[in-house]
Structure formats: structure tokens, C-alpha cells
Amino acid sequence: MNTKIKNVNTNNERVGEVASIFNRNGVWYINMQIRGKQMRKSLKTSNKKEARARALALERELLKGDTVKTVESEPVLITDAIEALIQSCKTEELRPKTISKYRQVLKDVAEFAESRNLYKLEQLDVRFVDAYRQYRKQKGAKPKTIYTEVGVIRRLLLFAKTRRMLNEDPLDGLKLTEPKTEPQPFWNWDELELILESSSKVHRPVFTFLAETGLRIGELRWLTWDDVDLKQGLIHIRPKDNWTTKTGNVRSIPISDRARGVLQKQPRHSRWVFTARASPKYPQGDHQVSERRLLESLKRTLKKLKLKGHLHTFRHSFISRAIVQGIPEAIIRTWVGHVDHKTLQHYTHIANRESQAAMRRLNRPDA
């Protein structure tokens, strides 16, 4: 199979109510949806300013219904549908991270399609998806990743159908089995304490705070002093600037004694609670901590201790510890936000195992 990937230009400039223009091989084209049909026509100019004027004039005529029959209806291009979906996601104010993920996945899909000489949206059928899944598997993508990417393709096609870019869903009848969730690693109390004791002094406050709160690393990076209420003993996790929480919801977490100790020792020379060290680029040391550097530091510690895990394992360990301690699931959810039900089931199993082990110790006859 040919896996040579070419660059695909998905740029498209809106110039009117329904008309957009795009450049192909130096010539400008008009692209628009009229009465549920995709209309595309060469504007026969290489000048962008002239192309805009011609596109607007043609749009006015088409909207009046004067020349609809003079323009050929063509199948929707994959790249046009992608751009339309991305613009719709922006209008719906989806999280920038989600939009970025859609854009990257669909860019890869479009490039793979072009490598197979496929350009029309209707060509993203079951055979294409099968080939794409095999291609991604050969590239080393995990089953969960491939499953998620096919879900993005499905979203593109369903969106296109609602916008009348397609009459039928090319993936109608496709059924995929969701891959089994791999058990997430977690550390017991002794392992967690050993990790914190062995970690870099520079990054230990961050690791301790993650362990005490169950925060996601992104939530910690965007935590400001305005989010910290030491008087009420609460940390508020809420959207700010161009960042939002995973689900967009706001929640508050009680501050443990250990977490309070970390906060009280943090310098307040920046709006951010946790900052990276000063550098030539940031001589004041007032910028957000780097997730990459934190992970590298943690990995060095785990390698030395011969343990597995990553930054998110602090969160898993927090949830596991809460369940083992008998904290009700409803309260845990108010602390940590969205948690997959299967994940909680896994931790509940751990709690049951710990409970049974405790009973065996209780009933062990004295030596």
C-alpha cells in the first residue's frame, strides 16, 4: 500500500454569506452551499482581490436564484468539509484543545486519503476506514487511539450530513468494538511517599500538590492565586483566559494540611501558583511550569525506584486512596470532576481487595 503522505491545504477564506474562495494551482475558485448542493467554480483569476469581487457578485446572483443552473454541482471535498466542521466547532466554543485534536486527526485523515487518490467526502467509506485503521496500526498507534480517531471521522461525516453535504452516511452500518480500558497504574501510600522523598527538590512541591488534590496537570499549571482561598480552605478549579477545564465545569477542592503547607511556602511573585525557575527567556521566573520538564523529572525518579507511572498517576493514586479510605463516590466526584465509570469500578475493586487484606490481618492468629 502506498503510504507516501502529501501536504494538504485546508485553508479557506469566507468572503460573503455563503461563499468562500480558495486557491488551487495559482487560480482562485468559489465554493458555496446553495439549496443543499455544493457549488464550485473557477473565478478565472490569479488576483485575490479580483477573486473576492467576482465571488461576491456571483453569490448575489445565486442567492437571487438567477443563475443557479449555470453552476455545476460537484461532490464535496474532504478538505472543505473539514474546514466547515472546524469553523462550526469554534462557533460552538468547544475547548481549544478539542478543536486542535480534531484538526490534527482530520489533517492526517485527509493526507492519508490523498495518498490513495481520494478527495471526495463520500469516499470516506467503510473500506477507507478499514485501510486507515490498518495504516495507523502499522504506525504503532494504540487500539484506543485508533478507536478515537475513527470517532472523529464519524463526527465529520455526521456533521456533513446535517449540513446536506452528503445525502447518505458512507459509514452507515460500521460497528466498532471499543477497546478494553487498560488498568491505569497507581501507587500505594508507601510508594507515593518514597516518590516524593526521592524527587527533585525543585519539583517536589508540584508532585506533592498533585498527590494531595487529585488535580490534572493542566489544572495545576493554570491555577492562580485568585483560585486559592486559604481562609475558606478551598481551591477553585475554573476556566480562565483561553483555558477551560476538561468538561468546562467549575469545582472546589478542600485544602488538606499538607497541601496548605505547600501553598504557604510558594512565592507570590506571579499570578500563577506554581512557576518554573528563571531562565534567559523568563528572567523573572514568573511563567507557568512545563509539563514536559515535570514529566522528565518524574520519570528519572521512577526509573531510580523501578516504579511505573506518569504525572496522571498522582490523580489515579489520589482517587484510589480516597476509595480505600471509604470516601463516598459522590464526594470524590465533586473533588476530582469527571471520572470514567470504568475507572471508578477499577478503583472500587482495589478498595475491596484492600478491605479483604485488612480482614485477613485482623483475623490472623497471634504467633
Side-chain angles (χ1 to χ4, degrees), residues 23-55:
N23 189 292
R24 178 176 294 166
N25 299 324
V27 178
W28 287 97
Y29 288 74
I30 185 173
N31 178 47
M32 69 179 87
Q33 285 278 324
I34 295 291
R35 298 179 182 177
K37 294 184 178 181
Q38 188 78 11
M39 305 292 182
R40 186 173 292 104
K41 182 179 181 181
S42 171
L43 294 170
K44 298 181 180 179
T45 180
S46 59
N47 184 285
K48 189 174 184 179
K49 184 176 181 180
E50 179 63 24
R52 287 197 189 104
R54 294 183 184 183

PDB file of all heavy atoms in Angstrom, residues 23-55:
ATOM      1  N   ASN A  23      -7.538  28.880  -3.313  1.00  0.00           N
ATOM      2  CA  ASN A  23      -6.593  28.928  -4.417  1.00  0.00           C
ATOM      3  C   ASN A  23      -6.088  27.531  -4.718  1.00  0.00           C
ATOM      4  O   ASN A  23      -5.684  26.806  -3.813  1.00  0.00           O
ATOM      5  CB  ASN A  23      -5.415  29.844  -4.063  1.00  0.00           C
ATOM      6  CG  ASN A  23      -4.511  30.104  -5.266  1.00  0.00           C
ATOM      7  OD1 ASN A  23      -3.833  29.209  -5.746  1.00  0.00           O
ATOM      8  ND2 ASN A  23      -4.500  31.343  -5.733  1.00  0.00           N
ATOM      9  N   ARG A  24      -6.137  27.183  -5.981  1.00  0.00           N
ATOM     10  CA  ARG A  24      -5.612  25.888  -6.402  1.00  0.00           C
ATOM     11  C   ARG A  24      -4.750  26.101  -7.636  1.00  0.00           C
ATOM     12  O   ARG A  24      -5.221  26.598  -8.654  1.00  0.00           O
ATOM     13  CB  ARG A  24      -6.750  24.908  -6.699  1.00  0.00           C
ATOM     14  CG  ARG A  24      -6.268  23.544  -7.203  1.00  0.00           C
ATOM     15  CD  ARG A  24      -7.417  22.581  -7.385  1.00  0.00           C
ATOM     16  NE  ARG A  24      -8.028  22.255  -6.112  1.00  0.00           N
ATOM     17  CZ  ARG A  24      -9.204  21.654  -5.987  1.00  0.00           C
ATOM     18  NH1 ARG A  24      -9.892  21.347  -7.067  1.00  0.00           N
ATOM     19  NH2 ARG A  24      -9.693  21.373  -4.790  1.00  0.00           N
ATOM     20  N   ASN A  25      -3.475  25.766  -7.487  1.00  0.00           N
ATOM     21  CA  ASN A  25      -2.522  25.911  -8.594  1.00  0.00           C
ATOM     22  C   ASN A  25      -2.484  27.327  -9.168  1.00  0.00           C
ATOM     23  O   ASN A  25      -2.388  27.537 -10.380  1.00  0.00           O
ATOM     24  CB  ASN A  25      -2.849  24.911  -9.715  1.00  0.00           C
ATOM     25  CG  ASN A  25      -2.750  23.473  -9.241  1.00  0.00           C
ATOM     26  OD1 ASN A  25      -1.889  23.158  -8.419  1.00  0.00           O
ATOM     27  ND2 ASN A  25      -3.613  22.609  -9.751  1.00  0.00           N
ATOM     28  N   GLY A  26      -2.612  28.312  -8.261  1.00  0.00           N
ATOM     29  CA  GLY A  26      -2.500  29.696  -8.682  1.00  0.00           C
ATOM     30  C   GLY A  26      -3.785  30.331  -9.182  1.00  0.00           C
ATOM     31  O   GLY A  26      -3.805  31.516  -9.504  1.00  0.00           O
ATOM     32  N   VAL A  27      -4.863  29.564  -9.258  1.00  0.00           N
ATOM     33  CA  VAL A  27      -6.152  30.077  -9.745  1.00  0.00           C
ATOM     34  C   VAL A  27      -7.147  30.073  -8.585  1.00  0.00           C
ATOM     35  O   VAL A  27      -7.223  29.108  -7.828  1.00  0.00           O
ATOM     36  CB  VAL A  27      -6.693  29.232 -10.914  1.00  0.00           C
ATOM     37  CG1 VAL A  27      -8.057  29.754 -11.370  1.00  0.00           C
ATOM     38  CG2 VAL A  27      -5.704  29.237 -12.073  1.00  0.00           C
ATOM     39  N   TRP A  28      -7.939  31.151  -8.468  1.00  0.00           N
ATOM     40  CA  TRP A  28      -8.923  31.249  -7.396  1.00  0.00           C
ATOM     41  C   TRP A  28     -10.252  30.640  -7.825  1.00  0.00           C
ATOM     42  O   TRP A  28     -10.684  30.794  -8.954  1.00  0.00           O
ATOM     43  CB  TRP A  28      -9.127  32.712  -6.993  1.00  0.00           C
ATOM     44  CG  TRP A  28      -7.954  33.236  -6.234  1.00  0.00           C
ATOM     45  CD1 TRP A  28      -6.912  33.950  -6.717  1.00  0.00           C
ATOM     46  CD2 TRP A  28      -7.699  33.057  -4.843  1.00  0.00           C
ATOM     47  NE1 TRP A  28      -6.004  34.225  -5.727  1.00  0.00           N
ATOM     48  CE2 TRP A  28      -6.470  33.690  -4.559  1.00  0.00           C
ATOM     49  CE3 TRP A  28      -8.390  32.420  -3.793  1.00  0.00           C
ATOM     50  CZ2 TRP A  28      -5.919  33.711  -3.271  1.00  0.00           C
ATOM     51  CZ3 TRP A  28      -7.846  32.437  -2.520  1.00  0.00           C
ATOM     52  CH2 TRP A  28      -6.631  33.079  -2.265  1.00  0.00           C
ATOM     53  N   TYR A  29     -10.883  29.923  -6.864  1.00  0.00           N
ATOM     54  CA  TYR A  29     -12.173  29.272  -7.081  1.00  0.00           C
ATOM     55  C   TYR A  29     -13.165  29.767  -6.040  1.00  0.00           C
ATOM     56  O   TYR A  29     -12.785  30.180  -4.933  1.00  0.00           O
ATOM     57  CB  TYR A  29     -12.055  27.754  -6.951  1.00  0.00           C
ATOM     58  CG  TYR A  29     -11.331  27.067  -8.086  1.00  0.00           C
ATOM     59  CD1 TYR A  29      -9.954  27.162  -8.206  1.00  0.00           C
ATOM     60  CD2 TYR A  29     -12.028  26.310  -9.030  1.00  0.00           C
ATOM     61  CE1 TYR A  29      -9.276  26.537  -9.239  1.00  0.00           C
ATOM     62  CE2 TYR A  29     -11.367  25.673 -10.068  1.00  0.00           C
ATOM     63  CZ  TYR A  29      -9.995  25.784 -10.171  1.00  0.00           C
ATOM     64  OH  TYR A  29      -9.342  25.149 -11.189  1.00  0.00           O
ATOM     65  N   ILE A  30     -14.446  29.703  -6.395  1.00  0.00           N
ATOM     66  CA  ILE A  30     -15.507  29.983  -5.437  1.00  0.00           C
ATOM     67  C   ILE A  30     -16.097  28.664  -4.973  1.00  0.00           C
ATOM     68  O   ILE A  30     -16.213  27.698  -5.746  1.00  0.00           O
ATOM     69  CB  ILE A  30     -16.615  30.885  -6.048  1.00  0.00           C
ATOM     70  CG1 ILE A  30     -17.654  31.252  -4.978  1.00  0.00           C
ATOM     71  CG2 ILE A  30     -17.277  30.215  -7.256  1.00  0.00           C
ATOM     72  CD1 ILE A  30     -18.679  32.260  -5.451  1.00  0.00           C
ATOM     73  N   ASN A  31     -16.474  28.607  -3.695  1.00  0.00           N
ATOM     74  CA  ASN A  31     -17.070  27.407  -3.128  1.00  0.00           C
ATOM     75  C   ASN A  31     -18.217  27.837  -2.222  1.00  0.00           C
ATOM     76  O   ASN A  31     -18.065  28.738  -1.403  1.00  0.00           O
ATOM     77  CB  ASN A  31     -16.024  26.630  -2.320  1.00  0.00           C
ATOM     78  CG  ASN A  31     -16.629  25.398  -1.669  1.00  0.00           C
ATOM     79  OD1 ASN A  31     -17.336  24.636  -2.310  1.00  0.00           O
ATOM     80  ND2 ASN A  31     -16.346  25.215  -0.392  1.00  0.00           N
ATOM     81  N   MET A  32     -19.403  27.249  -2.415  1.00  0.00           N
ATOM     82  CA  MET A  32     -20.538  27.632  -1.565  1.00  0.00           C
ATOM     83  C   MET A  32     -21.596  26.531  -1.571  1.00  0.00           C
ATOM     84  O   MET A  32     -21.606  25.645  -2.427  1.00  0.00           O
ATOM     85  CB  MET A  32     -21.129  28.961  -2.033  1.00  0.00           C
ATOM     86  CG  MET A  32     -21.841  28.910  -3.381  1.00  0.00           C
ATOM     87  SD  MET A  32     -22.520  30.523  -3.829  1.00  0.00           S
ATOM     88  CE  MET A  32     -21.107  31.246  -4.627  1.00  0.00           C
ATOM     89  N   GLN A  33     -22.471  26.624  -0.578  1.00  0.00           N
ATOM     90  CA  GLN A  33     -23.607  25.717  -0.469  1.00  0.00           C
ATOM     91  C   GLN A  33     -24.871  26.479  -0.877  1.00  0.00           C
ATOM     92  O   GLN A  33     -25.207  27.504  -0.270  1.00  0.00           O
ATOM     93  CB  GLN A  33     -23.763  25.228   0.972  1.00  0.00           C
ATOM     94  CG  GLN A  33     -22.746  24.192   1.397  1.00  0.00           C
ATOM     95  CD  GLN A  33     -23.146  22.806   0.937  1.00  0.00           C
ATOM     96  OE1 GLN A  33     -24.315  22.453   0.915  1.00  0.00           O
ATOM     97  NE2 GLN A  33     -22.156  22.025   0.577  1.00  0.00           N
ATOM     98  N   ILE A  34     -25.551  25.983  -1.905  1.00  0.00           N
ATOM     99  CA  ILE A  34     -26.795  26.619  -2.369  1.00  0.00           C
ATOM    100  C   ILE A  34     -27.880  25.556  -2.443  1.00  0.00           C
ATOM    101  O   ILE A  34     -27.739  24.556  -3.156  1.00  0.00           O
ATOM    102  CB  ILE A  34     -26.611  27.279  -3.760  1.00  0.00           C
ATOM    103  CG1 ILE A  34     -25.617  28.430  -3.672  1.00  0.00           C
ATOM    104  CG2 ILE A  34     -27.946  27.766  -4.288  1.00  0.00           C
ATOM    105  CD1 ILE A  34     -26.101  29.624  -2.891  1.00  0.00           C
ATOM    106  N   ARG A  35     -28.936  25.775  -1.669  1.00  0.00           N
ATOM    107  CA  ARG A  35     -30.080  24.842  -1.692  1.00  0.00           C
ATOM    108  C   ARG A  35     -29.637  23.406  -1.448  1.00  0.00           C
ATOM    109  O   ARG A  35     -30.092  22.465  -2.106  1.00  0.00           O
ATOM    110  CB  ARG A  35     -30.834  24.953  -3.021  1.00  0.00           C
ATOM    111  CG  ARG A  35     -31.422  26.340  -3.254  1.00  0.00           C
ATOM    112  CD  ARG A  35     -32.138  26.419  -4.588  1.00  0.00           C
ATOM    113  NE  ARG A  35     -32.663  27.769  -4.818  1.00  0.00           N
ATOM    114  CZ  ARG A  35     -33.289  28.138  -5.930  1.00  0.00           C
ATOM    115  NH1 ARG A  35     -33.446  27.262  -6.903  1.00  0.00           N
ATOM    116  NH2 ARG A  35     -33.728  29.377  -6.074  1.00  0.00           N
ATOM    117  N   GLY A  36     -28.722  23.236  -0.492  1.00  0.00           N
ATOM    118  CA  GLY A  36     -28.277  21.906  -0.129  1.00  0.00           C
ATOM    119  C   GLY A  36     -27.289  21.282  -1.081  1.00  0.00           C
ATOM    120  O   GLY A  36     -26.928  20.116  -0.925  1.00  0.00           O
ATOM    121  N   LYS A  37     -26.829  22.026  -2.083  1.00  0.00           N
ATOM    122  CA  LYS A  37     -25.879  21.487  -3.049  1.00  0.00           C
ATOM    123  C   LYS A  37     -24.561  22.252  -2.991  1.00  0.00           C
ATOM    124  O   LYS A  37     -24.538  23.459  -2.754  1.00  0.00           O
ATOM    125  CB  LYS A  37     -26.454  21.556  -4.466  1.00  0.00           C
ATOM    126  CG  LYS A  37     -27.670  20.668  -4.682  1.00  0.00           C
ATOM    127  CD  LYS A  37     -28.117  20.714  -6.129  1.00  0.00           C
ATOM    128  CE  LYS A  37     -29.310  19.796  -6.372  1.00  0.00           C
ATOM    129  NZ  LYS A  37     -29.751  19.813  -7.784  1.00  0.00           N
ATOM    130  N   GLN A  38     -23.493  21.493  -3.172  1.00  0.00           N
ATOM    131  CA  GLN A  38     -22.166  22.103  -3.196  1.00  0.00           C
ATOM    132  C   GLN A  38     -21.897  22.702  -4.572  1.00  0.00           C
ATOM    133  O   GLN A  38     -22.011  22.024  -5.590  1.00  0.00           O
ATOM    134  CB  GLN A  38     -21.095  21.038  -2.890  1.00  0.00           C
ATOM    135  CG  GLN A  38     -19.701  21.580  -2.709  1.00  0.00           C
ATOM    136  CD  GLN A  38     -19.512  22.206  -1.346  1.00  0.00           C
ATOM    137  OE1 GLN A  38     -20.355  22.054  -0.484  1.00  0.00           O
ATOM    138  NE2 GLN A  38     -18.412  22.897  -1.158  1.00  0.00           N
ATOM    139  N   MET A  39     -21.578  23.994  -4.605  1.00  0.00           N
ATOM    140  CA  MET A  39     -21.282  24.682  -5.843  1.00  0.00           C
ATOM    141  C   MET A  39     -19.816  25.097  -5.860  1.00  0.00           C
ATOM    142  O   MET A  39     -19.340  25.731  -4.916  1.00  0.00           O
ATOM    143  CB  MET A  39     -22.168  25.923  -5.985  1.00  0.00           C
ATOM    144  CG  MET A  39     -23.657  25.653  -5.870  1.00  0.00           C
ATOM    145  SD  MET A  39     -24.297  24.691  -7.255  1.00  0.00           S
ATOM    146  CE  MET A  39     -26.042  24.608  -6.829  1.00  0.00           C
ATOM    147  N   ARG A  40     -19.136  24.760  -6.930  1.00  0.00           N
ATOM    148  CA  ARG A  40     -17.726  25.133  -7.051  1.00  0.00           C
ATOM    149  C   ARG A  40     -17.448  25.549  -8.485  1.00  0.00           C
ATOM    150  O   ARG A  40     -17.884  24.881  -9.434  1.00  0.00           O
ATOM    151  CB  ARG A  40     -16.832  23.967  -6.662  1.00  0.00           C
ATOM    152  CG  ARG A  40     -15.369  24.323  -6.622  1.00  0.00           C
ATOM    153  CD  ARG A  40     -14.538  23.180  -6.071  1.00  0.00           C
ATOM    154  NE  ARG A  40     -14.835  22.995  -4.664  1.00  0.00           N
ATOM    155  CZ  ARG A  40     -15.593  22.013  -4.179  1.00  0.00           C
ATOM    156  NH1 ARG A  40     -16.133  21.130  -5.004  1.00  0.00           N
ATOM    157  NH2 ARG A  40     -15.824  21.905  -2.905  1.00  0.00           N
ATOM    158  N   LYS A  41     -16.727  26.662  -8.648  1.00  0.00           N
ATOM    159  CA  LYS A  41     -16.481  27.166  -9.990  1.00  0.00           C
ATOM    160  C   LYS A  41     -15.224  28.016  -9.996  1.00  0.00           C
ATOM    161  O   LYS A  41     -14.929  28.748  -9.055  1.00  0.00           O
ATOM    162  CB  LYS A  41     -17.674  28.021 -10.447  1.00  0.00           C
ATOM    163  CG  LYS A  41     -17.552  28.567 -11.854  1.00  0.00           C
ATOM    164  CD  LYS A  41     -18.784  29.378 -12.212  1.00  0.00           C
ATOM    165  CE  LYS A  41     -18.686  29.910 -13.641  1.00  0.00           C
ATOM    166  NZ  LYS A  41     -19.868  30.725 -13.993  1.00  0.00           N
ATOM    167  N   SER A  42     -14.467  27.908 -11.091  1.00  0.00           N
ATOM    168  CA  SER A  42     -13.267  28.726 -11.236  1.00  0.00           C
ATOM    169  C   SER A  42     -13.655  30.182 -11.442  1.00  0.00           C
ATOM    170  O   SER A  42     -14.568  30.501 -12.197  1.00  0.00           O
ATOM    171  CB  SER A  42     -12.429  28.253 -12.426  1.00  0.00           C
ATOM    172  OG  SER A  42     -11.373  29.171 -12.684  1.00  0.00           O
ATOM    173  N   LEU A  43     -12.962  31.073 -10.733  1.00  0.00           N
ATOM    174  CA  LEU A  43     -13.191  32.510 -10.906  1.00  0.00           C
ATOM    175  C   LEU A  43     -12.297  33.094 -11.994  1.00  0.00           C
ATOM    176  O   LEU A  43     -12.350  34.291 -12.279  1.00  0.00           O
ATOM    177  CB  LEU A  43     -12.956  33.239  -9.578  1.00  0.00           C
ATOM    178  CG  LEU A  43     -13.957  32.882  -8.465  1.00  0.00           C
ATOM    179  CD1 LEU A  43     -13.506  33.448  -7.140  1.00  0.00           C
ATOM    180  CD2 LEU A  43     -15.350  33.378  -8.818  1.00  0.00           C
ATOM    181  N   LYS A  44     -11.433  32.246 -12.566  1.00  0.00           N
ATOM    182  CA  LYS A  44     -10.592  32.591 -13.713  1.00  0.00           C
ATOM    183  C   LYS A  44      -9.747  33.840 -13.466  1.00  0.00           C
ATOM    184  O   LYS A  44      -9.674  34.747 -14.299  1.00  0.00           O
ATOM    185  CB  LYS A  44     -11.456  32.772 -14.966  1.00  0.00           C
ATOM    186  CG  LYS A  44     -12.200  31.507 -15.349  1.00  0.00           C
ATOM    187  CD  LYS A  44     -13.040  31.695 -16.597  1.00  0.00           C
ATOM    188  CE  LYS A  44     -13.777  30.407 -16.954  1.00  0.00           C
ATOM    189  NZ  LYS A  44     -14.628  30.562 -18.155  1.00  0.00           N
ATOM    190  N   THR A  45      -9.153  33.870 -12.275  1.00  0.00           N
ATOM    191  CA  THR A  45      -8.235  34.962 -11.956  1.00  0.00           C
ATOM    192  C   THR A  45      -7.220  34.467 -10.934  1.00  0.00           C
ATOM    193  O   THR A  45      -7.520  33.591 -10.116  1.00  0.00           O
ATOM    194  CB  THR A  45      -8.979  36.185 -11.394  1.00  0.00           C
ATOM    195  OG1 THR A  45      -8.020  37.216 -11.106  1.00  0.00           O
ATOM    196  CG2 THR A  45      -9.728  35.857 -10.115  1.00  0.00           C
ATOM    197  N   SER A  46      -6.034  35.028 -11.012  1.00  0.00           N
ATOM    198  CA  SER A  46      -4.992  34.710 -10.036  1.00  0.00           C
ATOM    199  C   SER A  46      -4.853  35.830  -9.010  1.00  0.00           C
ATOM    200  O   SER A  46      -4.038  35.744  -8.098  1.00  0.00           O
ATOM    201  CB  SER A  46      -3.645  34.502 -10.743  1.00  0.00           C
ATOM    202  OG  SER A  46      -3.273  35.667 -11.473  1.00  0.00           O
ATOM    203  N   ASN A  47      -5.661  36.881  -9.156  1.00  0.00           N
ATOM    204  CA  ASN A  47      -5.621  38.028  -8.262  1.00  0.00           C
ATOM    205  C   ASN A  47      -6.663  37.841  -7.158  1.00  0.00           C
ATOM    206  O   ASN A  47      -7.850  37.697  -7.431  1.00  0.00           O
ATOM    207  CB  ASN A  47      -5.916  39.311  -9.046  1.00  0.00           C
ATOM    208  CG  ASN A  47      -5.792  40.545  -8.174  1.00  0.00           C
ATOM    209  OD1 ASN A  47      -6.654  40.826  -7.355  1.00  0.00           O
ATOM    210  ND2 ASN A  47      -4.700  41.283  -8.378  1.00  0.00           N
ATOM    211  N   LYS A  48      -6.203  37.851  -5.912  1.00  0.00           N
ATOM    212  CA  LYS A  48      -7.098  37.572  -4.794  1.00  0.00           C
ATOM    213  C   LYS A  48      -8.173  38.641  -4.639  1.00  0.00           C
ATOM    214  O   LYS A  48      -9.346  38.333  -4.371  1.00  0.00           O
ATOM    215  CB  LYS A  48      -6.291  37.449  -3.506  1.00  0.00           C
ATOM    216  CG  LYS A  48      -7.094  36.952  -2.313  1.00  0.00           C
ATOM    217  CD  LYS A  48      -6.191  36.712  -1.122  1.00  0.00           C
ATOM    218  CE  LYS A  48      -6.981  36.118   0.035  1.00  0.00           C
ATOM    219  NZ  LYS A  48      -6.132  35.855   1.209  1.00  0.00           N
ATOM    220  N   LYS A  49      -7.804  39.891  -4.805  1.00  0.00           N
ATOM    221  CA  LYS A  49      -8.762  40.979  -4.667  1.00  0.00           C
ATOM    222  C   LYS A  49      -9.864  40.855  -5.717  1.00  0.00           C
ATOM    223  O   LYS A  49     -11.053  41.022  -5.425  1.00  0.00           O
ATOM    224  CB  LYS A  49      -8.045  42.322  -4.797  1.00  0.00           C
ATOM    225  CG  LYS A  49      -8.944  43.530  -4.569  1.00  0.00           C
ATOM    226  CD  LYS A  49      -8.141  44.813  -4.625  1.00  0.00           C
ATOM    227  CE  LYS A  49      -9.037  46.028  -4.377  1.00  0.00           C
ATOM    228  NZ  LYS A  49      -8.269  47.287  -4.417  1.00  0.00           N
ATOM    229  N   GLU A  50      -9.456  40.533  -6.940  1.00  0.00           N
ATOM    230  CA  GLU A  50     -10.429  40.357  -8.007  1.00  0.00           C
ATOM    231  C   GLU A  50     -11.310  39.143  -7.739  1.00  0.00           C
ATOM    232  O   GLU A  50     -12.522  39.146  -8.020  1.00  0.00           O
ATOM    233  CB  GLU A  50      -9.701  40.199  -9.339  1.00  0.00           C
ATOM    234  CG  GLU A  50     -10.609  39.989 -10.546  1.00  0.00           C
ATOM    235  CD  GLU A  50     -11.526  41.167 -10.829  1.00  0.00           C
ATOM    236  OE1 GLU A  50     -11.179  42.308 -10.420  1.00  0.00           O
ATOM    237  OE2 GLU A  50     -12.583  40.969 -11.451  1.00  0.00           O
ATOM    238  N   ALA A  51     -10.680  38.087  -7.166  1.00  0.00           N
ATOM    239  CA  ALA A  51     -11.429  36.873  -6.856  1.00  0.00           C
ATOM    240  C   ALA A  51     -12.523  37.159  -5.836  1.00  0.00           C
ATOM    241  O   ALA A  51     -13.653  36.668  -5.954  1.00  0.00           O
ATOM    242  CB  ALA A  51     -10.485  35.801  -6.330  1.00  0.00           C
ATOM    243  N   ARG A  52     -12.217  37.972  -4.830  1.00  0.00           N
ATOM    244  CA  ARG A  52     -13.218  38.328  -3.830  1.00  0.00           C
ATOM    245  C   ARG A  52     -14.405  39.045  -4.480  1.00  0.00           C
ATOM    246  O   ARG A  52     -15.565  38.743  -4.209  1.00  0.00           O
ATOM    247  CB  ARG A  52     -12.597  39.246  -2.770  1.00  0.00           C
ATOM    248  CG  ARG A  52     -11.641  38.559  -1.811  1.00  0.00           C
ATOM    249  CD  ARG A  52     -11.423  39.448  -0.587  1.00  0.00           C
ATOM    250  NE  ARG A  52     -10.368  38.942   0.265  1.00  0.00           N
ATOM    251  CZ  ARG A  52      -9.136  39.462   0.326  1.00  0.00           C
ATOM    252  NH1 ARG A  52      -8.823  40.494  -0.456  1.00  0.00           N
ATOM    253  NH2 ARG A  52      -8.230  38.949   1.138  1.00  0.00           N
ATOM    254  N   ALA A  53     -14.078  40.012  -5.356  1.00  0.00           N
ATOM    255  CA  ALA A  53     -15.137  40.786  -6.010  1.00  0.00           C
ATOM    256  C   ALA A  53     -16.020  39.888  -6.867  1.00  0.00           C
ATOM    257  O   ALA A  53     -17.257  39.995  -6.849  1.00  0.00           O
ATOM    258  CB  ALA A  53     -14.515  41.893  -6.847  1.00  0.00           C
ATOM    259  N   ARG A  54     -15.406  39.015  -7.670  1.00  0.00           N
ATOM    260  CA  ARG A  54     -16.184  38.119  -8.529  1.00  0.00           C
ATOM    261  C   ARG A  54     -17.024  37.149  -7.708  1.00  0.00           C
ATOM    262  O   ARG A  54     -18.167  36.828  -8.072  1.00  0.00           O
ATOM    263  CB  ARG A  54     -15.247  37.355  -9.465  1.00  0.00           C
ATOM    264  CG  ARG A  54     -14.532  38.254 -10.479  1.00  0.00           C
ATOM    265  CD  ARG A  54     -13.678  37.434 -11.437  1.00  0.00           C
ATOM    266  NE  ARG A  54     -12.917  38.312 -12.338  1.00  0.00           N
ATOM    267  CZ  ARG A  54     -12.134  37.862 -13.322  1.00  0.00           C
ATOM    268  NH1 ARG A  54     -12.018  36.555 -13.525  1.00  0.00           N
ATOM    269  NH2 ARG A  54     -11.477  38.724 -14.093  1.00  0.00           N
ATOM    270  N   ALA A  55     -16.452  36.674  -6.593  1.00  0.00           N
ATOM    271  CA  ALA A  55     -17.178  35.728  -5.745  1.00  0.00           C
ATOM    272  C   ALA A  55     -18.412  36.387  -5.138  1.00  0.00           C
ATOM    273  O   ALA A  55     -19.498  35.785  -5.096  1.00  0.00           O
ATOM    274  CB  ALA A  55     -16.254  35.199  -4.651  1.00  0.00           C
TER     275      ALA A  55
END
